[in-house]
Each structure stands twice: as C-alpha cells, then as structure tokens.
Amino acid sequence: MLLIYADERMWDGNEAGREECYEESTQVAHQLASAGQYVAANPLHPTATATSVRVREGKRLVTDGPFAETREQLGGYFLVEAGDADEAIAIAGRLPGARFGTVEVRPVVEIGGLPVGRRGRPVRLYSSHRS
C-alpha cells in the first residue's frame, strides 16, 4: 500500500494544481493497470471532514477531526500489486505525491478467511504474511 502524505493546505487556492495532480495520478493508475499492478487508488477529503472513533472501557468515543495533529496529512492511497519492496518503492517514486510530500510504502498483512473483493480474485501484494 502506498500512503500519500502532504500538507493539505498546499491546495488552498490552487484548484488547478490539485486537478493537475489528479490527472497525473490517473495516468499513473492507467499505466499500472496496463502492467497488471493496479488494485485501487483514491484521494481523501481534507482532515476537516474526518471523524475519529475510539473505544475505551467499552464506550465508543467519537470526535471530529483526524487522530493526530501533524505537519503532513494522509491525502490518499494507491493499493498496488508488487512482487517485493523494491518494486513497490519504484512505483511510489512515480506518484506525484512523492515530489511534494511523502509516499509511505507499507506491506499489507494477508489474513486468511477474509472475503474476496469486488475483483473476484485474490490479489498478489507485496505483503507481510500472517498465519
């Protein structure tokens, strides 16, 4: 999974820049799809739209806003099929978010027994296996 972090305020008053980023990200997604590596990708709405949920001592606590205040916020993700960390890192370097923020590359833990997604088949991910 490629998690894209950046200062979301950089898009304030820069709708053209945001659209350019979306267009470039869409082009990369199509290239990955052609190579059989694309699984999913989406930008996220700003953290002002976030709701955080915690359960403590059996009670659900719901608060507006993100989990933590940070300099960079999670702005979107790509879920890709990659054979190893080097391949995932190479893909991350192609994303526009790597130029203005940070792309965190994180393996997905595969857990047996989960339902098959809409694609109707298991996905081969660079992953950390759990038995």
Side-chain angles (χ1 to χ4, degrees):
M1 176 165 273
L2 311 178
L3 303 168
I4 303 164
Y5 292 90
D7 183 347
E8 64 187 13
R9 295 172 298 174
M10 73 178 181
W11 300 124
D12 291 350
N14 186 9
E15 193 60 33
R18 179 193 318 261
E19 286 304 315
E20 183 178 316
C21 178
Y22 288 173
E23 288 172 15
E24 186 176 348
S25 295
T26 300
Q27 290 172 0
V28 172
H30 282 284
Q31 293 166 0
L32 292 170
S34 294
Q37 296 178 294
Y38 178 80
V39 178
N42 287 102
L44 300 175
H45 286 281
T47 56
T49 66
T51 301
S52 296
V53 179
R54 297 170 183 78
V55 176
R56 301 293 185 269
E57 299 177 10
K59 294 182 181 174
R60 186 181 70 188
L61 306 169
V62 179
T63 55
D64 291 335
F67 171 70
E69 295 294 325
T70 61
R71 190 172 53 87
E72 294 183 326
Q73 298 78 36
L74 178 62
Y77 71 93
F78 269 72
L79 185 59
V80 300
E81 295 187 29
D84 58 30
D86 290 336
E87 187 175 11
I89 290 167
I91 293 169
R94 294 168 52 193
L95 301 180
R99 289 194 308 271
F100 55 75
T102 303
V103 178
E104 178 181 345
V105 178
R106 179 131 15 132
V108 174
V109 176
E110 295 180 10
I111 301 173
L114 291 175
V116 175
R118 291 189 305 191
R119 292 180 68 177
R121 66 174 179 81
V123 175
R124 180 184 63 90
L125 301 171
Y126 156 58
S127 64
S128 173
H129 293 279
R130 180 177 138 185
S131 37

